[in-house]
Amino acid sequence: MLKIYNSLTKEKQDFVPITPGSVRMYVCGMTVYDYCHLGHARVLVVFDMVQRWLRASGLKVCYVRNITDIDDKIIQRALANKESIGELTDRFIGFMDEDATALGVEKPDHEPRATQYIPQMLGLIELLEKNGLAYQATTGDVNFSVRKFPGYGKLSGKSIDDLRAGERVDVDTGKDDPLDFVLWKQARKGEPFWPSPWGNGRPGWHIECSAMSSDLLGKHFDIHGGGQDLQFPHHENEIAQSEGAHHCPFVNFWMHNGFVRIDDEKMSKSLGNFFTIRDILKQYDPEVLRFFILRAHYRSPLNYSDAHLDDARQALSRLYTALKAAPPAVEVAAVDWHEPHAIRFSQAMNDDFNTPDACAALFDLASEVNRSKSAGLASQLRGLAGLLGLLKRDPQGFLQGTPTPGAEEMSVEAIEILIASRLAAKNRKDYSEADRIRSGLLAAGVVLEDGAQGTNWRRA
């Protein structure tokens, strides 16, 4: 049975869907004013893996991942660029889609944009006001009264009395309490706005997700996911808004992926160690980045470095090498779940999506493929890896298409010319020249593999 670590209860629990046989899952997506970074890549890949395994387990999944297309940073960037908010967000949504596709991330079932759900947000705020949890401040903003919601802090474990004004909350004299957060912002000069019962304005960030999730998945659903940085205050505030409005539980299971670190330091623009997905894909194959992310458990910190990416590239190459060595199957057969490696893979995935152990099962299976050259086991390897979005390409194409980072990439034509020159040198018994060519190719990141059928090659 699938067990999921629930951030709300701080323990692994048997996953029992609210509706038997189906799962409703919401994940906080991107705020689209810039290119997606490595932290976004982790969210995209991790919850793509989660929805893939839920579906592979026979569950019907409704997966929602939102887009925040209105907030302070978006407005500021659009003004700086002298363009409309729509032009800015449409452009970066396109870039986000390109990055996600490169990483093998499947489209969610629904991808709502915040600006499409203003009526639902207004309706939710009206309910909160009716329930005595929202008030209009003297500034014109509508705020949520944190102290009037008795369950505040149950996700993050933070006590209201321990929270001090100025720590992760805005100090605003218009608030009844410094801890209160904004639901509806009064229109500011030069900013976009929508009409509301409290005057022209725009939504606060937290209300967006509560409105979109409840509209698409219902007032009470199975899984809510996102990065660990969103646990407080964003997800805590979502719970307060949603349960305060609807008087019922909001989400059964909360899932949070761990932070990304760069050479053991937290990734941040201020430290100068900030990498976009596009930065990384200039040096590494997208599948290598996906494999690197999945090789770590989703709740653990992900430590990025060139050395770790190089290791992931070499490891993924070993899996593809095993597929290349086996006779090609006529077609990839369905996974045989009674086969020992598949059992181990399934047990790992059902233990809170333990992808490190699942990948270990793949490597053991690859060793069996190397020994047996069995087309059936190779098909099994490809089928299991495919559940993680891996090993879907032609092995030769992958192995010949991933140059060593930092090395000057040698063209396929140049490699084949040198291989032919080496063969000619061997035929005339000039073995020192043949060895020189082989060493030169290796220095350029190209490995030669001599066999009965001739010489094959792959990127190192």
Side-chain angles (χ1 to χ4, degrees):
M1 186 174 195
L2 174 62
K3 291 181 180 292
I4 298 177
Y5 181 86
N6 191 348
S7 300
L8 185 63
T9 61
K10 310 296 187 292
E11 63 180 1
K12 290 182 189 178
Q13 294 177 291
D14 290 342
F15 177 67
V16 180
I18 296 168
T19 302
S22 67
V23 180
R24 288 168 288 153
M25 179 170 76
Y26 183 92
V27 172
C28 288
M30 313 306 133
T31 301
V32 284
Y33 69 98
D34 207 340
Y35 294 108
C36 292
H37 55 65
L38 182 57
H40 296 141
R42 192 175 200 191
V43 172
L44 288 167
V45 170
V46 161
F47 289 100
D48 180 63
M49 171 272 294
V50 169
Q51 66 91 16
R52 284 173 184 264
W53 183 247
L54 292 172
R55 295 182 201 274
S57 301
L59 294 165
K60 181 180 178 181
V61 179
C62 183
Y63 175 28
V64 178
R65 190 186 68 227
N66 80 293
I67 294 172
T68 296
D69 61 348
I70 182 68
D71 87 331
D72 292 341
K73 291 179 179 178
I74 290 172
I75 294 169
Q76 292 164 6
R77 182 64 58 87
L79 288 171
N81 291 352
K82 297 181 179 179
E83 63 181 330
S84 72
I85 286 173
E87 289 170 335
L88 175 76
T89 56
D90 283 349
R91 186 168 71 256
F92 282 106
I93 288 170
F95 294 144
M96 177 191 71
D97 287 342
E98 291 173 3
D99 291 342
T101 298
L103 292 173
V105 174
E106 295 178 339
K107 272 283 192 183
D109 298 292
H110 301 278
E111 199 170 26
R113 300 188 188 190
T115 54
Q116 299 169 340
Y117 283 77
I118 301 297
Q120 291 87 340
M121 296 175 202
L122 295 175
L124 198 55
I125 296 170
E126 286 179 332
L127 278 176
L128 290 170
E129 188 177 52
K130 179 182 176 181
N131 293 342
L133 293 172
Y135 63 92
Q136 187 164 22
T138 56
T139 59
D141 293 350
V142 181
N143 297 321
F144 184 93
S145 184
V146 167
R147 290 186 183 274
K148 292 182 179 179
F149 180 73
Y152 196 83
K154 62 184 176 182
L155 177 66
S156 61
K158 295 181 181 290
S159 164
I160 289 178
D161 293 331
D162 292 338
L163 291 170
R164 298 193 307 270
E167 288 189 357
R168 314 267 326 243
V169 293
D170 295 327
V171 176
D172 186 335
T173 55
K175 296 177 180 179
D176 289 353
D177 188 294
L179 299 180
D180 294 348
F181 59 88
V182 67
L183 300 168
W184 186 258
K185 296 185 177 184
Q186 186 183 51
R188 274 67 164 175
K189 185 179 179 180
E191 293 185 353
F193 62 85
W194 288 263
S196 84
W198 310 279
N200 293 336
R202 59 185 174 89
W205 176 37
H206 310 300
I207 198 68
E208 295 176 1
C209 286
S210 287
M212 287 184 280
S213 62
S214 63
D215 186 76
L216 290 166
L217 299 175
K219 299 172 184 177
H220 180 204
F221 56 92
D222 299 285
I223 299 173
H224 193 313
Q228 188 177 337
D229 58 314
L230 298 181
Q231 188 168 336
F232 183 85
H234 184 52
H235 290 163
E236 193 73 71
N237 290 350
E238 277 192 68
I239 291 174
Q241 294 165 156
S242 302
E243 296 188 357
H246 298 135
H247 300 299
C248 68
F250 178 37
V251 172
N252 281 3
F253 284 79
W254 285 87
M255 295 180 64
H256 294 94
N257 63 267
F259 289 112
V260 172
R261 301 179 67 81
I262 308 294
D263 287 329
D264 290 318
E265 282 190 318
K266 185 177 179 181
M267 184 179 75
S268 72
K269 290 182 179 179
S270 61
L271 293 175
N273 62 357
F274 182 84
F275 292 95
T276 69
I277 295 173
R278 292 176 177 234
D279 291 334
I280 299 167
L281 298 190
K282 289 175 183 176
Q283 285 193 294
Y284 293 94
D285 186 281
E287 191 174 354
V288 170
L289 179 55
R290 183 183 179 96
F291 177 69
F292 164 72
I293 292 170
L294 292 176
R295 210 175 174 193
H297 192 276
Y298 78 91
R299 285 192 288 115
S300 68
L302 181 69
N303 190 33
Y304 175 93
S305 70
D306 286 350
H308 289 146
L309 263 292
D310 290 344
D311 182 66
R313 178 177 51 80
Q314 292 168 5
L316 187 59
S317 294
R318 290 200 300 273
L319 296 179
Y320 269 113
T321 299
L323 290 180
K324 176 175 168 287
V330 176
E331 61 182 64
V332 178
V335 171
D336 175 8
W337 289 109
H338 299 290
E339 188 270 329
H341 298 91
I343 293 172
R344 181 180 166 194
F345 182 96
S346 178
Q347 289 172 340
M349 293 299 291
N350 281 332
D351 181 17
D352 192 31
F353 307 99
N354 190 337
T355 53
D357 281 0
C359 287
L362 296 181
F363 282 103
D364 286 349
L365 179 53
S367 297
E368 291 289 339
V369 173
N370 283 326
R371 282 193 291 269
S372 67
K373 302 296 188 289
S374 164
L377 286 180
S379 177
Q380 180 82 336
L381 173 60
R382 193 184 281 275
L384 287 172
L387 297 173
L388 298 179
L390 300 170
L391 300 189
K392 294 193 169 186
R393 293 153 64 182
D394 170 65
Q396 190 77 349
F398 176 85
L399 294 168
Q400 294 186 353
T402 53
T404 303
E408 184 175 347
E409 182 175 356
M410 185 176 288
S411 70
V412 172
E413 293 78 8
I415 293 168
E416 291 178 346
I417 288 171
L418 286 171
I419 290 174
S421 297
R422 176 174 174 265
L423 177 61
K426 290 174 70 176
N427 287 339
R428 63 175 183 267
K429 302 188 184 311
D430 188 352
Y431 297 115
S432 62
E433 173 64 7
D435 289 344
R436 186 192 67 78
I437 294 172
R438 185 188 191 100
S439 297
L441 284 168
L442 185 60
V446 178
V447 177
L448 301 186
E449 298 171 335
D450 294 321
Q453 304 301 316
T455 299
N456 288 319
W457 64 273
R458 61 178 174 84
R459 305 282 181 184

